[in-house]
Amino acid sequence: MTKEERVEAAEATVETTETMEENAAELTEEVEETSVEDGEMNGSSEDTNANTAENENLAQELEESKDRLLRLHAEFDNYRKRTQREKED
């Protein structure tokens, strides 16, 4: 892999990481907003159950996004270290 290709791959990884961070932040906001709405609701148990299920889905999606972000970050860090070692050799 040429130096230019490595730089392009690193830039793509950084962009992906930033996008995932933004998505995680948006999901966190959605979960928080839904939790507030659940606390304000005096509706039927069906509505409460639907919102609870939605909260669980959003929380699961958030956890999956965070996991992907952490893995991508670790992968990028390993790539950075590997290229640094290659430079030194």
Side-chain angles (χ1 to χ4, degrees), residues 12-62:
T13 302
V14 169
E15 288 176 19
T16 303
T17 302
E18 291 171 351
T19 301
M20 291 180 78
E21 288 173 344
E22 291 169 5
N23 290 344
E26 289 173 9
L27 288 172
T28 301
E29 289 175 13
E30 286 181 34
V31 169
E32 290 171 355
E33 288 173 4
T34 304
S35 295
V36 169
E37 290 171 3
D38 282 349
E40 295 172 352
M41 284 184 57
N42 292 325
S44 69
S45 63
E46 283 183 18
D47 290 340
T48 304
N49 290 340
N51 285 332
T52 301
E54 183 180 355
N55 280 348
E56 290 172 1
N57 290 339
L58 289 173
Q60 181 180 0
E61 189 176 339
L62 175 61

Side-chain angles (χ1 to χ4, degrees), residues 1-14 71-87:
M1 182 180 267
T2 67
K3 182 178 179 180
E4 291 175 357
E5 290 172 333
R6 288 192 301 242
V7 169
E8 287 176 13
E11 289 172 351
T13 302
V14 169
R71 290 176 186 275
L72 185 60
H73 181 69
E75 184 179 328
F76 180 70
D77 193 42
N78 290 338
Y79 169 78
R80 184 183 54 79
K81 290 176 183 177
R82 186 177 65 244
T83 55
Q84 184 65 32
R85 281 193 306 264
E86 289 174 0
K87 259 177 142 175

